[in-house]
């Protein structure tokens, strides 16, 4: 029998090295977690009463043994689990610059390991956490994304 999964609000770090590559975690291969064995961003669940920023700091210290003083909110992804009675959950993504000195001090304490990938490599990866891949794509293509769609084009000529 497949174990039950419990979605909840979470944070994720777009850890970006000095060459603009993404440092990612290969997740543990445990059936009780979402996307076991896949590549994803470091991060995790927001605990009760915790802000997304506090959760980010705690998760990165737990998973990598490094405290990051510099980070910036990037985007959030809202996922609707109403079909399963779980309602909406939010995943908050933060840009976390990673210096070479910090990268040398990383100690992976959770997951099977880590890897460093360009945006092009991430886009072609099999076995990636879908929402983490989406956030990396959004970050990598941010300068090409235009203004907000308001539906004007859909109404032209009607």
């Amino acid at each position: 029998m497949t174990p039950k999964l419990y979605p909840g609000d979470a944070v994720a770090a777009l850890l970006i090295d000095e060459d603009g590559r993404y440092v990612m975690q290969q997740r543990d291969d445990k059936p009780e977690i979402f996307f076991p064995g896949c590549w994803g961003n470091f991060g995790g669940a927001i605990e009760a009463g915790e802000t997304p920023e506090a959760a980010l700091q705690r998760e990165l210290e737990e998973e990598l043994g490094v405290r990051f003083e510099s980070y910036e909110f990037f985007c959030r992804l809202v996922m609707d689990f109403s079909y399963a009675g779980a309602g909406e959950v939010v995943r908050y993504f933060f840009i976390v610059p990673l210096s070479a000195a910090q990268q040398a001090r990383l100690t992976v304490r959770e997951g099977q390991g880590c890897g460093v990938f360009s945006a092009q490599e991430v886009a072609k990866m099999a076995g990636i956490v879908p929402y983490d891949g989406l956030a990396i794509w959004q970050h990598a293509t941010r300068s090409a994304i235009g203004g907000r769609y308001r539906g004007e084009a859909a109404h032209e000529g009607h």
Side-chain angles (χ1 to χ4, degrees):
M1 186 170 114
T2 304
K4 271 200 180 277
L5 299 172
Y6 296 93
D9 294 345
V11 295
L14 298 175
L15 275 174
I16 303 170
D17 74 6
E18 292 178 346
D19 295 323
R21 299 174 302 170
Y22 300 89
V23 178
M24 300 176 70
Q25 172 196 57
Q26 186 174 22
R27 296 175 57 76
D28 285 317
D29 201 12
K30 298 177 181 176
E32 66 273 10
I33 65 172
F34 285 93
F35 304 103
C38 291
W39 288 95
N41 295 316
F42 287 93
I46 299 173
E47 295 179 357
E50 195 173 41
T51 65
E53 294 80 6
L56 177 73
Q57 287 288 5
R58 178 185 49 74
E59 286 288 343
L60 292 178
E61 283 186 73
E62 286 175 4
E63 294 181 357
L64 295 169
V66 175
R67 180 161 181 84
F68 292 88
E69 300 302 324
S70 178
Y71 57 88
E72 170 187 349
F73 174 77
F74 178 62
C75 70
R76 66 188 181 98
L77 177 63
V78 179
M79 294 171 276
D80 187 354
F81 286 91
S82 295
Y83 65 89
E88 290 184 345
V89 298
V90 180
R91 189 162 177 96
Y92 298 87
F93 293 90
F94 292 86
I95 298 167
V96 182
L98 182 65
S99 70
Q102 287 171 317
Q103 195 166 356
R105 289 195 322 266
L106 296 181
T107 302
V108 178
R109 298 176 176 168
E110 189 174 306
Q112 299 180 61
C114 73
V116 183
F117 307 96
S118 70
Q120 295 78 15
E121 290 171 319
V122 171
K124 295 176 184 176
M125 281 177 118
I128 187 168
V129 175
Y131 39 77
D132 289 347
L134 173 62
I136 289 172
W137 174 83
Q138 287 179 290
H139 182 261
T141 62
R142 65 195 179 283
S143 63
I145 303 297
R148 184 181 178 128
Y149 173 75
R150 289 181 169 63
E152 292 89 357
H155 299 295
E156 288 178 12
H158 295 289

